[in-house]
């Protein structure tokens, strides 16, 4: 498989989709990011990233049922795929590996 | 939540989002955006919510969204486009001959079309660069006879005080200038140069937008002794050194003054009708024409130009000017009308005669445009006939495409795509050709075009390519996509053949008609122009030179100079005769107005000569005697035959020129055989020759001329047989002896006449080349087409030969078709060519008879040439062994 790289924002969005689980959608992701990372992100940017991730095969989407809210529009729900999970995991391991190679700065300063 | 009263996201943004985003995504996007909107609405108010919504909408203008949108719909199209490209390339490689003809023909046509468009643009955009172009007008006048209500005179040149008088009277005139022109002798470093000098008012450079390169850019001719140089003349006189504040001497009519160079301007000689290389203050024109003429409202000597205030309606203002103009003229029989002509339209208007501004006949431009279109049409027809003919060979490919589900529109797209690819290739080659050919074109057309790839050229390129490819692609599509898949795969194409051949034949006929018409047109134009150049001028132009007397000042001075010169060369046996003349072939001749009883004005040409003129020029007297050489008899005149015809005189030698102002009588001593002194396009007009203006000046009221007052501006010398070079050296030497300090400005009259027809000759070459190109492309097309039809019938030929046909039979069989087409084309082309050439010939007073023989000969030549080249091709096939053709079946 071709090695895929994710941008920082893409990784954040993908992780959030993973955390939320079944019913991740744009606005909820914005909310979660704000709550967990104390960071405000743009909704449209999240959408664009979600479609990009879908093209790469890391998330899958389907339309939800009609909600009670205005206009009766349906939500598009995103779910992380297996390759998405695998990628996150790989990225995590990579980072851990690198972290271990880091000279132990703590020693020198303490 | 109070849904009904609560505000909603802006509807236009919702619509916009629906427009930019793909159908399957829009619902999810809107759902999320609206949720955020309503959350925001509660937390922070309507404004912030809307702002955020708009920002989100803006952020969604992103490739990920936009491309998702259309890719699904277009993917097959784009994939196929690539395939079409590959297929086109393969086909082109496989059929190098047709591809070559197609691309080459189209490239030349595109190159010519681009050059012609550039040329036409430069012709039609003269004087468009002036900031004030919409408010500047050239004044011209018409004289109208009140009793007959006819226009008796139209003149672009008007009197010197005119614009100044108008400018003082009318507040609507912001600025005004005169455009005068005369020859002068520039003296720099004691070296004399003959130069055409222009005379402008100081307003000239503020009215018009000629860029000042160096020097005083505010008021280039403010002082009386300022002189403005064009870049070219600055280079000529000062090379690379700074000309500003340098002093040159200019001699007008023997009045030599110092002039200080105040500015160097870009005279935009290819962008303006006002051409000048050296300009001085109009006040200096007094030296040229004399005080009286300078202040007189009766002589038309300069072009008057005015700039009106914004909002002044020229048509209404013309009426005011006309009223004012007529107030100064006490004439109960004629009235004058003043017209205002926008400066930008002066260049292409040849209907207002006598202007000192440069004009160009738009007819030549239209002919060239027509030719470019013809060449393009012929090349496109080649393209269509060859591609369709050739596509018949690709029937199987089309059949297979249809069988596996290609719908008509897809086949159409394929054919248009192919046409498009080929046009692009041809277009690129065409651009290269245009760049390579532009110097030659400039040379031929006398233009100064250059090819820069600006937006204009790019647009032109795209439009040409799109037009060619859409037209030829659709034509082909119309012919080919109707075929049934099963027929096509089996190689059966009968159902479509009749349609194709009908249209195909139509196109071939059209192409031949155009070619034949072009050949006939070119032949007739060529014959006419040759006829003009060989026309009997009525005098002997060979071994005749004219020498400028360099503005000796007045009549007496010129006469003395002439006498000195004649006495000095009198002993040389190579010099047969010497005479003085006021007018010469370079400029229009002086025309005098003789008012008649009843308000008419007779306009008769006048030339002041000395008694040796007729002899030197080799003119013949048909009646009476030459001027008296021993003593000047002031009232003697000689008239031409046109004059006798004009007045219907039965006994010219006892006739008088009619005119109500005449107080004295004049004596017509002789009638000279008609000779051409004006444009060869025009009829020979009535002319008076006299040794003194006093013979008829009492009858004159008003005149138009380039040469005034009457004096000998030129000396004509007839040189006898023998070496010409020593005679020229001798003339130079003698000239220096009798008129020292002035250069010998000598021209051979036949060279001069040739130079006058230079523009005609140049145009003939342009038109010849363009029609040659058209004919070449048409011939290439014919070659391709016959080769195709021969190839298609190669098996038929084989079978016929096996069954006993001779080569001759086969050739006849195959040539018959093309022969029929050419005969039909001839019949179509002849009447069209007849009509068009006759219309063109109407421009000429002396013209050839269009003989039907030309038509027949051209027709015959085309038939022979076309069938000949067909036969050569057919012969190769017919002569080959039939086994070769039949072996594989």
């Amino acid at each position: 498989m071709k090695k895929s790289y994710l941008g920082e924002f893409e990784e954040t969005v993908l992780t959030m989709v993973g955390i939320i689980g079944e019913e991740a959608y744009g606005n909820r992701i914005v909310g979660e990011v704000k709550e967990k990372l104390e960071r405000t992100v743009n909704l449209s940017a999240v959408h664009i990233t979600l479609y990009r991730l879908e093209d790469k095969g890391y998330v899958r989407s389907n339309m939800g049922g009609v909600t009670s809210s205005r206009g009766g529009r349906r939500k598009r729900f995103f779910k992380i795929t297996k390759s998405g999970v695998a990628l996150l995991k790989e990225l995590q391991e990579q980072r851990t590996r690198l972290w271990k190679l880091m000279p132990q700065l703590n020693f020198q300063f303490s | 939540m109070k849904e009904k009263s609560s505000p909603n996201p802006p509807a236009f943004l919702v619509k916009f989002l629906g427009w930019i985003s793909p159908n399957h995504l829009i619902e999810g996007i809107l759902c999320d955006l609206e949720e955020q909107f309503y959350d925001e609405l509660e937390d922070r108010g309507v404004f912030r919510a809307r702002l955020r919504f708009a920002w989100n909408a803006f952020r969604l203008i992103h490739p990920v969204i936009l491309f998702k949108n259309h890719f699904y719909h277009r993917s097959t199209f784009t994939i196929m486009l690539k395939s079409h490209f590959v297929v086109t390339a393969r086909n082109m490689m496989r059929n190098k001959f047709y591809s070559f003809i197609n691309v080459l023909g189209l490239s030349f046509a595109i190159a010519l079309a681009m050059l012609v468009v550039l040329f036409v643009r430069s012709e039609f955009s003269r004087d468009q660069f002036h900031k004030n172009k919409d408010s500047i007008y050239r004044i011209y006048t018409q004289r109208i006879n009140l009793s007959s209500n006819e226009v008796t005179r139209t003149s672009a040149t008007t009197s010197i005080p005119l614009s100044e008088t108008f400018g003082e009277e009318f507040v609507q005139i912001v600025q005004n200038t005169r455009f005068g022109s005369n020859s002068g002798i520039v003296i720099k470093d004691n070296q004399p140069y003959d130069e055409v000098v222009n005379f402008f008012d100081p307003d000239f450079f503020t009215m018009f937008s000629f860029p000042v390169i160096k020097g005083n850019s505010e008021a280039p001719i403010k002082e009386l002794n300022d002189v403005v140089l064009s870049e070219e003349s600055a280079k000529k006189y000062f090379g690379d050194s700074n000309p500003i504040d340098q002093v040159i001497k200019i001699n007008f009519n023997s009045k030599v003054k110092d002039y200080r160079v105040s500015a160097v301007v870009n005279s935009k000689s290819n962008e303006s009708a006002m051409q000048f290389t050296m300009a001085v203050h109009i006040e200096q024109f007094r030296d040229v024409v004399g005080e009286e003429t300078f202040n007189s409202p009766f002589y038309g000597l300069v072009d008057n130009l005015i700039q009106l205030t914004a909002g002044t309606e020229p048509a209404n203002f013309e009426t005011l000017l006309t009223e004012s103009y007529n107030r100064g003229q006490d004439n109960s029989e004629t009235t004058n009308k003043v017209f205002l002509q926008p400066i930008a339209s002066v260049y292409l208007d040849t209907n207002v005669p006598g202007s000192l501004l440069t004009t160009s006949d738009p007819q030549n431009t239209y002919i060239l445009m027509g030719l470019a279109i013809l060449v393009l049409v012929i090349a496109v027809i080649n393209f269509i006939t060859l591609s369709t003919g050739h596509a018949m060979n690709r029937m199987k490919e089309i059949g297979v495409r249809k069988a596996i589900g290609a719908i008509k529109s897809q086949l159409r797209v394929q054919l248009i795509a192919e046409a498009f690819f080929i046009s692009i290739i041809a277009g690129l080659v065409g651009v290269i050709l245009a760049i390579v050919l532009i110097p030659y074109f400039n040379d031929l057309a006398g233009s100064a075009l250059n090819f820069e790839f600006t937006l204009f050229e790019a647009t032109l390129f795209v439009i040409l390519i799109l037009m060619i490819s859409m037209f030829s692609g659709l034509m082909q599509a119309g012919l080919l996509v109707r075929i049934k898949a099963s027929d096509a795969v089996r190689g059966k194409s009968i159902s479509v053949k009749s349609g194709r051949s009908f249209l195909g034949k139509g196109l071939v006929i059209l192409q031949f008609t155009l070619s034949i018409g072009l050949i006939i047109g070119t032949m007739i134009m060529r014959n006419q122009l040759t006829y003009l150049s060989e026309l009997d001028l009525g005098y002997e132009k060979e071994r005749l030179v004219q020498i400028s007397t360099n503005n000796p000042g007045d009549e007496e001075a010129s006469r003395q100079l002439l006498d000195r010169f004649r006495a000095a060369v009198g002993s040389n046996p190579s010099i047969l005769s010497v005479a003085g003349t006021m007018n010469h072939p370079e400029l229009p001749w002086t025309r005098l107005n003789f008012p008649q009883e009843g308000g008419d004005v007779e306009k008769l040409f006048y030339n002041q000569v000395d008694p040796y003129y007729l002899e030197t020029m080799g003119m013949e007297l048909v009646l009476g005697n030459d001027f008296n050489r021993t003593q000047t008899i002031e009232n003697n005149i000689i008239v031409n035959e046109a004059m006798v015809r004009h007045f219907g005189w039965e006994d010219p030698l006892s006739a008088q020129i009619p005119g109500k102002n005449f107080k004295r009588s004049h004596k017509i001593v002789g009638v000279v055989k008609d000779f051409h002194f004006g444009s060869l396009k025009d009829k020979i007009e009535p002319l008076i020759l006299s040794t003194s203006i006093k013979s008829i000046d009492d009858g004159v009221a008003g005149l138009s001329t380039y040469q005034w007052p009457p004096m000998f501006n030129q000396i004509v010398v007839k040189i006898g047989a023998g070496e010409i070079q020593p005679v020229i050296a001798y003339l130079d030497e003698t000239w220096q002896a009798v008129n020292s300090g002035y250069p010998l400005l000598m021209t051979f009259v036949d060279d001069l006449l040739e130079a006058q027809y230079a523009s005609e000759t140049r145009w003939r070459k342009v038109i010849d080349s363009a029609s040659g190109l058209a004919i070449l492309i048409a011939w290439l097309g014919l070659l391709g087409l016959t080769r195709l039809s021969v190839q298609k019938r190669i098996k038929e030929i084989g079978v016929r030969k096996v069954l006993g046909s001779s080569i001759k039979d086969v050739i006849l069989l195959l040539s018959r078709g093309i022969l029929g087409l050419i005969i039909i084309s001839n019949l179509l082309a002849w009447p069209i060519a007849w009509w068009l050439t006759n219309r063109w010939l109407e421009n000429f007073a002396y013209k050839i008879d269009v003989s039907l023989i030309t038509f027949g000969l051209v027709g015959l030549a085309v038939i022979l040439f076309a069938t000949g080249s067909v036969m050569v091709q057919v012969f190769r096939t017919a002569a080959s062994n039939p086994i070769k053709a039949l072996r594989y079946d």
Side-chain angles (χ1 to χ4, degrees), chain A residues 59-73:
Chain A
V59 298
R60 204 168 45 228
S61 74
N62 63 301
M63 298 307 286
V66 179
T67 53
S68 60
S69 75
R70 310 150 188 88
R73 296 196 203 278

Side-chain angles (χ1 to χ4, degrees), chain B residues 123-140:
Chain B
E123 284 285 287
F124 282 81
S125 61
R126 291 262 171 159
D127 288 307
Q128 295 286 354
F129 66 93
H130 306 297
K131 263 205 306 289
N132 304 325
K133 71 174 161 74
D134 294 326
S135 54
I136 300 176
Y137 298 86
R138 192 258 306 269
I139 299 176
Y140 73 91

Side-chain angles (χ1 to χ4, degrees), chain B residues 679-717:
Chain B
S679 164
L680 290 185
K681 276 187 179 179
D682 305 328
K683 269 203 129 48
I684 297 174
E685 300 273 347
L687 170 76
I688 303 164
L689 296 176
S690 177
T691 50
S692 167
I693 186 73
K694 293 198 184 92
S695 56
I696 39 98
D697 65 348
D698 52 335
V700 178
L703 66 134
S704 56
T705 185
Y706 284 79
Q707 308 277 3
W708 199 256
M711 62 174 139
F712 300 132
N713 292 299
Q714 299 282 339
I715 293 174
V716 281
V717 179

Side-chain angles (χ1 to χ4, degrees), chain B residues 187-200:
Chain B
I187 300 142
K188 191 189 171 254
D189 302 332
N190 292 323
Q191 196 66 35
Y193 303 89
D194 197 35
E195 201 61 73
V196 171
V197 183
N198 288 91
F199 300 84
F200 299 154

Side-chain angles (χ1 to χ4, degrees), chain B residues 277-383:
Chain B
T277 53
M278 192 175 272
V280 298
H281 201 287
I282 185 75
E283 286 296 317
Q284 304 294 350
F285 207 46
R286 288 177 198 273
D287 285 355
V288 178
V289 294
E291 198 65 27
E292 191 196 334
T293 313
F294 192 83
N295 297 320
S296 161
F298 300 108
Y299 301 103
L301 290 170
V302 292
D303 280 58
N304 277 294
L305 300 144
I306 56 172
Q307 185 189 347
L308 302 183
T309 47
T312 305
E313 188 56 50
N316 298 337
F317 194 54
E318 274 174 357
T319 332
L320 293 177
L321 291 179
T322 302
E323 268 169 39
S324 160
Y325 189 85
N326 280 323
R327 228 175 289 140
Q329 319 261 336
D330 53 336
N331 199 327
S332 55
E333 286 138 5
T334 59
T335 185
N336 298 287
K337 264 192 99 168
V338 178
F339 294 90
L340 295 177
Q341 187 179 25
I343 186 66
S345 69
V346 168
Y347 180 68
L348 287 175
D349 190 343
T350 47
N351 294 323
V352 186
S355 178
L356 300 173
L357 310 184
T358 315
T359 55
S360 161
D361 189 352
Q363 186 178 278
N364 288 327
T365 314
Y366 295 139
I367 291 180
L368 193 60
M369 270 161 84
L371 277 173
I373 293 171
L374 283 188
V375 171
L376 211 53
V377 167
I378 289 176
V380 169
I381 291 178
N382 267 357
F383 187 21

